[in-house]
Amino acid sequence: MSDRNAERRPAGELEARVLAALWAADGPLTPGQVQEMIDGSLARTTVTTILSRLYEKGAVTRKRSGRGFAYVPTEDASGLTARRMHAELAKDEDREAVLSRFVSQLSDEDERLLRALLDGEEDAR
């Protein structure tokens, strides 16, 4: 008997690979095209399931393409990370504590960057 957990990928790895393929594309991709871009190591049904889940999360949009769909990311990688940060913040009732903890754990450079962004500096970097 094999240990199935030993074969499992880290949470989000497949979604990240699929999104990376979509971000690298010049336009909408079908599940088959995504499968080819990530070296065909996943079954097309798996890619389709991942794309459907990303669609349900609002991370991609889709339009009809033949009998199936072609997918496009709704945001770039930075936008998606920001959306995830907002979602995590919304889960906790004590926003002040969460934000305080977040800021206290920033590196000096990230804190400087955040301060510049909050102050409305054009070129915060």
Side-chain angles (χ1 to χ4, degrees):
M1 179 155 56
S2 68
D3 182 7
R4 292 183 62 175
N5 289 335
E7 300 171 13
R8 293 189 79 99
R9 292 177 176 89
E13 178 186 325
L14 296 179
E15 285 185 1
R17 288 176 58 195
V18 168
L19 282 168
L22 291 172
W23 287 323
D26 292 330
L29 295 179
T30 64
Q33 292 168 321
V34 172
Q35 180 192 29
E36 289 175 16
M37 288 189 71
I38 56 177
D39 71 28
S41 61
L42 298 174
R44 186 154 69 201
T45 54
T46 301
V47 174
T48 301
T49 298
I50 294 165
L51 287 164
S52 295
R53 288 181 180 159
L54 289 169
Y55 176 76
E56 290 168 6
K57 294 177 181 180
V60 299
T61 59
R62 65 185 183 190
K63 66 176 187 173
R64 276 277 172 210
S65 177
R67 295 186 303 175
F69 293 100
Y71 295 83
V72 175
T74 56
E75 303 177 84
D76 62 9
S78 297
L80 185 59
T81 299
R83 183 196 304 203
R84 288 178 179 153
M85 291 169 68
H86 280 285
E88 288 301 315
L89 181 60
K91 290 178 185 178
D92 199 303
E93 291 181 22
D94 191 351
R95 296 171 74 88
E96 183 178 352
V98 173
L99 288 170
S100 175
R101 200 62 67 82
F102 175 77
V103 169
S104 71
Q105 294 174 2
L106 290 174
S107 68
D108 290 343
E109 178 60 23
D110 285 344
E111 184 177 345
R112 186 201 63 73
L113 178 58
L114 182 58
R115 284 186 191 283
L117 290 168
L118 291 172
D119 290 340
E121 294 180 18
E122 292 283 325
D123 186 17
R125 291 182 183 216

